[in-house]
Amino acid sequence: MITDHRPLPAGCLERSNLMKKHIFLITVFILLSAVLSAMADSVWMPMDNYFMDTWKPESDNTCEHQQRPLYMAAGEKGYVTAVKTPLDLTPVNTYPNGTEFKIAFVCGKGDSLYGAVEAVRLNGAVTFTEDWKGESGYIAFSDLVRAYDSDAFKEEHLKDLVSAGEDDFDFCSGKDFVLWQTPNSGVQIEYVSEDYIKYLCMDYDESIPPEHRMFRFGAFYRDPDGNRWVEATLRQQWEHGWINLDQPVENGVKPVY
């Protein structure tokens, strides 16, 4: 085989370099598009080496994502302590019993289990404080009990519930509303703006099965004051709660960014 080692003309070199730059920019654009798309539906995760090592094939650490993430502090000493990681027990914070948490993952093995703290709601507060940096640490699972959530409410009010029909209200043309932990709980899971509703409804199609939509509805409940409530799940499992159809934003807290 004969190989030609003569240098390319200057014009060919410029075109070759330009083509490489174009290919590089296209590759970066594709990667960024994939990352941004994934971020839109991302699941919150702790940002520490312990959690990241969990996903390495050689690691024997385990972390399980929670479908019912709401837990409450119930330590024997009257408080619970969040530590840096299940392996580094350096205290990060302490919380009095009654504090409520969103526990995104439960990590560890056997009886040595720890809950990763995604958000905190102090007793009496309306809203959770989200940990956007993923640095709130882990709480021993033995110091936590399940909080009173939507599933517990449904078990207690089973005879008062009926299936929600989408014809009962027009979700996609609605205004702001609050997603509450349970009817009349006074605990806000999320304040949902009109712009967010438009995002959730952007690709809405009645032919898409409910489990594959950006939002879906469960039970319908009428409280003793006659207010109508509908159970809703928005985008992710933890965005799960109840909408007051008659007073959509009453007593809610609208975030300021």
Side-chain angles (χ1 to χ4, degrees):
M1 180 177 67
I2 300 175
T3 304
D4 189 349
H5 294 289
R6 288 176 297 175
L8 291 171
C12 290
L13 282 172
E14 289 177 3
R15 286 195 294 272
S16 176
N17 290 334
L18 186 60
M19 183 175 294
K20 289 178 181 179
K21 289 180 180 179
H22 284 165
I23 292 172
F24 173 76
L25 289 174
I26 291 170
T27 303
V28 169
F29 175 77
I30 291 172
L31 290 173
L32 282 175
S33 298
V35 169
L36 291 174
S37 176
M39 286 177 64
D41 293 309
S42 61
V43 174
W44 179 92
M45 295 185 298
M47 300 301 294
D48 57 68
N49 290 335
Y50 170 86
F51 185 82
M52 296 306 171
D53 287 347
T54 298
W55 309 107
K56 294 180 179 179
E58 65 273 17
S59 173
D60 62 352
N61 294 331
T62 60
C63 285
E64 293 186 1
H65 187 253
Q66 298 296 288
Q67 294 300 311
R68 292 177 64 183
L70 299 179
Y71 289 87
M72 187 174 291
E76 290 185 0
K77 298 180 180 179
Y79 62 89
V80 299
T81 300
V83 296
K84 196 169 183 180
T85 75
L87 297 181
D88 181 350
L89 301 182
T90 303
V92 174
N93 210 334
T94 58
Y95 303 95
N97 283 354
T99 304
E100 201 164 276
F101 307 97
K102 288 181 185 175
I103 299 295
F105 293 87
V106 173
C107 303
K109 292 174 288 187
D111 294 330
S112 182
L113 298 176
Y114 287 80
V117 179
E118 175 183 353
V120 178
R121 186 184 71 84
L122 296 177
N123 193 17
V126 174
T127 61
F128 285 84
T129 299
E130 298 285 340
D131 173 20
W132 301 113
K133 293 183 178 180
E135 299 174 347
S136 289
Y138 300 74
I139 297 174
F141 205 56
S142 58
D143 285 341
L144 299 172
V145 295
R146 191 174 294 285
Y148 187 76
D149 61 6
S150 180
D151 286 4
F153 175 85
K154 288 192 295 181
E155 290 175 7
E156 187 175 304
H157 294 270
L158 188 60
K159 62 181 178 60
D160 302 317
L161 305 178
V162 296
S163 296
E166 292 186 26
D167 295 335
D168 295 338
F169 55 95
D170 189 353
F171 176 81
C172 287
S173 64
K175 302 294 184 181
D176 293 12
F177 66 83
V178 173
L179 191 68
W180 298 99
Q181 188 164 316
T182 63
N184 298 313
S185 65
V187 178
Q188 178 176 305
I189 296 295
E190 187 170 6
Y191 188 101
V192 180
S193 67
E194 187 175 355
D195 287 340
Y196 188 30
I197 295 173
K198 290 178 181 177
Y199 164 70
L200 294 172
C201 295
M202 185 167 50
D203 297 320
Y204 174 72
D205 186 337
E206 290 184 357
S207 65
I208 299 175
E211 62 271 18
H212 298 307
R213 297 177 190 171
M214 294 287 278
F215 60 90
R216 60 184 185 274
F217 306 104
F220 179 88
Y221 170 74
R222 190 181 294 272
D223 70 21
D225 295 324
N227 293 310
R228 299 168 301 144
W229 296 80
V230 63
E231 180 190 18
T233 301
L234 311 178
R235 196 168 65 90
Q236 295 175 358
Q237 183 63 27
W238 67 263
E239 291 178 309
H240 179 77
W242 294 77
I243 304 168
N244 186 335
L245 299 176
D246 296 304
Q247 300 180 52
V249 295
E250 189 75 18
N251 299 319
V253 178
K254 186 173 184 177
V256 178
Y257 300 107

